[in-house]
Amino acid sequence: MSVSGVANVDRGIVLDEHNPYESMMSRFDRAAELLDLDPGLYKILRAPDKQLIVSIPVRLDNGELEVFTGYRVHHNIARGPAKGGIRFSPQVTLEEVKALAAWMTWKCAVVNIPFGGAKGGVVCDPITMSMRELELVTRRYTSEIMDLLGPETDVPAPDINTNEQVMAWIMDTYSMHARRTVSSIVTGKPVSLGGSLGRREATGRGCLFVINEALAHLGIPAAGTRVVVQGFGNVGGVAAQLLAQQGMRVVAVSDMYGAIYNSQGLDIDRLLQHVARTRAVGDFEGSEPIASDEILLTDCEVLVPAAVENQITSANAGSIRARIICEGANGPTTASADEILDRQGIFVIPDILANAGGVTVSYFEWVQNREGYYWSEERVNRRLKKIMVNSFRDVLRTSLTREVNMRTACYMVAVDRVAFIHRLRGIYA
Ligand code: GLU
């Protein structure tokens, strides 16, 4: 029986283009239909396993008491411990965290690492908060979601506005409760606390590997390829640097404050120094400012949206002039934009494949923590490359044999792998 037998679900229909959970679901539905997924399994995979909402009271520096809201969602744990980052942002919502948790399930399955999917978030604005306030929020949030956490159950990592320091606080808080140091409770830690070499660069490096595969597949020479990067943080900044080092021309980049352009290619090493000094890409010598909403429409071969969700929508997808889109961010393209990009013949490397380098090296970090034996950076990067290249080829093969775009192929590979494990394990009653 196909999923069409399941009642009461709006299969494949996107009611609100900007709701990331609906975007995720409409892609999942399409893959489920093409896979002829069993209706019972369809129901299991459609809903998150667990959703926790917590209140986080914190005494601010000005003496006032503030209560922040935090979430931790497990989408699915069939393939292994729930894995996924924690973001701090005023825009965090439960719907967003649910979508991000499901994306982690599919992402881990696409690269075939033994994790399920989770995500967490705290509604707060780190730009306005002191280090002390951030530490208090992190520690109280960690203690509020403690029942979910554990090296075998749920392993957080960095995401938007969280970093190695935040991971160190999570590790310490958990370890204080456990009365021993538990380094495998979190990934993306400082290297001196058991973090993995190469983890910080892993997501951007993963983008490089899949972009190279896409260029080779399309017969576009890498040298001189024009690249545009939206978002100049941990993903976009590293991707830009590695792509430039390989001889590509990064002609435009943006951050949350503005965008810059140079048709000859920006000097990314110098730009990184400029950003370290001024905290923004604007006013970089040897560049001209462009409007932030122009960045995605800039003429180029490779566009890397590496900022936040819902950037490429039905409103601007028709004006995108790239040959390849490599989704460094989670959910940068709405489901309604997919078809428009297809019509233009744009080759999309979807988020759950393109940015999977981060969680792949998180897996390496977790393995190293549990082994108590640490790998060289060369070994980390070599193994990362192998996983990214093989995963790209698995997805491309499905795309070609099933005659579907890369997005649908990604979901088909992922959903099939998760469904296979569910069938093997059966249902405990
Ligand atoms: N936050 C990253 C992501 O969205 C990394 C997750 C992890 O390493 O667990 O993939």
Side-chain angles (χ1 to χ4, degrees):
M1 195 170 133
S2 82
V3 286
S4 52
V6 177
N8 301 328
V9 289
D10 299 313
R11 275 189 315 107
I13 299 167
V14 183
L15 301 172
D16 171 6
E17 180 178 359
H18 295 273
N19 179 322
Y21 195 68
E22 284 189 23
S23 266
M24 187 283 297
M25 265 303 145
S26 75
R27 279 113 171 210
F28 164 72
D29 282 351
R30 172 137 178 73
E33 200 165 346
L34 289 166
L35 291 167
D36 205 9
L37 185 71
D38 171 87
L41 269 181
Y42 174 78
K43 283 190 220 166
I44 290 178
L45 297 178
R46 220 177 183 271
D49 281 355
K50 282 196 182 84
Q51 304 174 53
L52 180 62
I53 306 176
V54 297
S55 290
I56 306 161
V58 167
R59 178 81 59 197
L60 301 178
D61 292 349
N62 65 9
E64 277 173 30
L65 198 59
E66 185 58 88
V67 180
F68 298 92
T69 302
Y71 306 100
R72 186 75 181 165
V73 173
H74 288 184
H75 172 257
N76 187 280
I77 56 163
R79 289 172 46 89
K83 187 84 191 77
I86 291 169
R87 65 172 58 173
F88 288 174
S89 154
Q91 273 84 42
V92 167
T93 62
L94 181 58
E95 285 297 286
E96 181 195 53
V97 178
K98 276 164 61 183
L100 289 160
W103 278 324
M104 288 308 301
T105 303
W106 311 135
K107 193 184 298 187
C108 293
V110 168
V111 288
N112 221 347
I113 58 176
F115 285 135
K119 202 77 174 199
V122 177
V123 188
C124 65
D125 188 1
I127 295 172
T128 63
M129 293 163 71
S130 67
M131 281 290 270
R132 179 191 157 275
E133 290 168 339
L134 278 175
E135 178 173 354
L136 293 180
V137 166
T138 303
R139 288 187 184 275
R140 183 64 187 252
Y141 169 71
T142 305
S143 74
E144 292 294 338
I145 65 165
M146 186 84 71
D147 290 344
L148 294 185
L149 301 182
E152 300 281 355
T153 48
D154 179 347
V155 184
D159 200 80
I160 291 175
N161 290 332
T162 56
N163 56 18
E164 294 179 359
Q165 178 61 72
V166 174
M167 298 308 114
W169 291 327
I170 293 174
M171 189 275 241
D172 183 70
T173 307
Y174 186 90
S175 297
M176 286 299 110
H177 283 259
R179 320 282 322 145
R180 67 200 155 85
T181 296
V182 186
S183 51
S184 54
I185 181 58
V186 74
T187 59
K189 299 177 291 290
V191 170
S192 50
L193 291 186
S196 178
L197 294 170
R199 174 62 186 85
R200 197 184 303 161
E201 300 80 16
T203 312
R205 190 175 294 279
C207 290
L208 166 80
F209 295 141
V210 291
I211 288 171
N212 280 338
E213 286 295 301
L215 288 169
H217 168 64
L218 298 174
I220 304 172
T225 290
R226 291 167 306 162
V227 179
V228 169
V229 182
Q230 182 199 37
F232 207 67
N234 181 47
V235 181
V238 173
Q241 187 177 34
L242 295 174
L243 293 166
Q245 275 169 12
Q246 229 197 234
M248 298 190 204
R249 231 179 335 138
V250 182
V251 293
V253 304
S254 70
D255 59 20
M256 62 195 291
Y257 308 107
I260 57 171
Y261 178 80
N262 180 334
S263 62
Q264 298 311 305
L266 299 154
D267 181 337
I268 300 296
D269 286 334
R270 275 190 42 235
L271 177 58
L272 285 164
Q273 289 164 13
H274 170 83
V275 171
R277 252 191 340 266
T278 67
R279 308 241 142 260
V281 298
D283 298 326
F284 178 58
E285 207 183 307
S287 76
E288 54 180 282
I290 56 171
S292 287
D293 51 6
E294 258 179 59
I295 185 99
L296 296 171
L297 315 182
T298 306
D299 204 5
C300 64
E301 281 72 51
V302 180
L303 173 62
V304 185
V308 288
E309 291 105 71
N310 297 338
Q311 298 302 298
I312 301 174
T313 67
S314 55
N316 63 5
S319 311
I320 288 180
R321 291 184 284 171
R323 296 279 312 277
I324 296 169
I325 296 177
C326 174
E327 297 183 338
N330 290 311
T333 307
T334 66
S336 310
D338 283 347
E339 214 178 294
I340 304 171
L341 299 177
D342 274 351
R343 275 205 297 273
Q344 284 157 231
I346 298 175
F347 186 89
V348 177
I349 313 172
D351 48 5
I352 56 172
L353 169 64
N355 68 39
V359 74
T360 298
V361 176
S362 277
Y363 168 52
F364 298 162
E365 179 171 331
W366 181 78
V367 167
Q368 292 171 73
N369 292 152
R370 289 155 62 96
E371 272 186 324
Y373 176 77
Y374 288 85
W375 306 357
S376 68
E377 190 163 356
E378 189 273 326
R379 185 185 208 188
V380 169
N381 291 343
R382 183 164 30 87
R383 291 188 174 196
L384 171 63
K385 180 173 182 180
K386 193 167 164 197
I387 287 183
M388 295 304 294
V389 168
N390 288 345
S391 306
F392 180 94
R393 291 179 185 172
D394 285 348
V395 173
L396 182 62
R397 200 175 314 114
T398 299
S399 159
L400 296 173
T401 55
R402 298 295 304 260
E403 295 179 353
V404 293
N405 64 20
M406 287 290 280
R407 173 103 51 208
T408 302
C410 259
Y411 277 76
M412 287 176 77
V413 168
V415 172
D416 198 35
R417 285 182 181 157
V418 178
F420 176 77
I421 295 294
H422 268 285
R423 279 192 290 268
L424 214 50
R425 290 180 61 156
I427 303 292
Y428 174 72

